[in-house]
Amino acid sequence: MKSSNQFSDALHVMAHLVGQGGPRTSEQLATCLPTHPVVIRRLLSALHKGGLVTTVRGHGGGSQLARPPAEITLHDVYLAIGAPALLHTGARETGRGCPVQRVVNEALDDSYRQAQALLEARLRDTTLATLGDEFARHLAHHAAGVPHDV
């Protein structure tokens, strides 16, 4: 099964809105991923409903952040797009009442619940401003010729 990139794409879109002096269109944002503008419009719609972006239609319109980046956590973005599964279990359906499979699934489910809770806590502690700072640091290192792992 193909995993969804919706959360990653939503974070990518939001990161591109950080520091923008004005609205960005779905066409402009689609070139950054790259994907179709319709995909971006769906994400922007969810982010708008979540109160994270404002959108103006028509000529000169587009979307921009509704609040300062330091006030928007990655968890806010995660919730706005419907809180998709962050981890995909590999557990088999119980089927045919196999007691071993049931024990295996319970052990995996418990581990995934704990991991999900840790991931969500980390998302609450990270803001779009943090991503913007990391990107600026990356650009500065790149411009100076410093390797990525430094």
Side-chain angles (χ1 to χ4, degrees):
M1 174 180 7
K2 184 177 183 258
S3 64
S4 170
N5 295 326
Q6 186 180 27
F7 183 45
S8 175
D9 288 353
L11 290 175
H12 197 132
V13 165
M14 294 294 283
H16 274 284
L17 295 177
V18 172
Q20 294 299 315
R24 302 279 311 261
T25 66
S26 57
E27 288 79 12
Q28 290 170 323
L29 293 167
T31 63
C32 301
L33 283 172
T35 191
H36 196 278
V38 170
V39 173
I40 301 300
R41 284 192 284 277
R42 284 187 200 124
L43 285 173
L44 289 169
S45 176
L47 296 166
H48 177 78
K49 288 177 187 172
L52 303 179
V53 299
T54 58
T55 302
V56 175
R57 295 179 189 244
H59 181 71
S63 297
Q64 57 190 20
L65 297 179
R67 303 190 310 251
E71 295 177 15
I72 300 173
T73 68
L74 302 192
H75 194 258
D76 295 332
V77 176
Y78 170 70
L79 293 177
I81 62 163
L86 293 172
L87 300 168
H88 300 282
T89 67
R92 287 185 172 272
E93 292 300 316
T94 307
R96 297 197 178 106
C98 175
V100 171
Q101 189 62 52
R102 194 169 20 252
V103 170
V104 167
N105 286 350
E106 287 173 7
L108 288 175
D109 287 346
D110 185 50
S111 295
Y112 281 114
R113 275 191 297 277
Q114 290 177 34
Q116 177 83 20
L118 287 171
L119 282 168
E120 287 190 46
R122 183 71 184 260
L123 294 175
R124 283 184 195 94
D125 291 340
T126 307
T127 67
L128 289 179
T130 305
L131 291 184
D133 292 346
E134 284 296 316
F135 181 66
R137 187 179 63 78
H138 170 78
L139 284 179
H141 278 86
H142 181 71
V146 177
H148 290 284
D149 58 349
V150 174

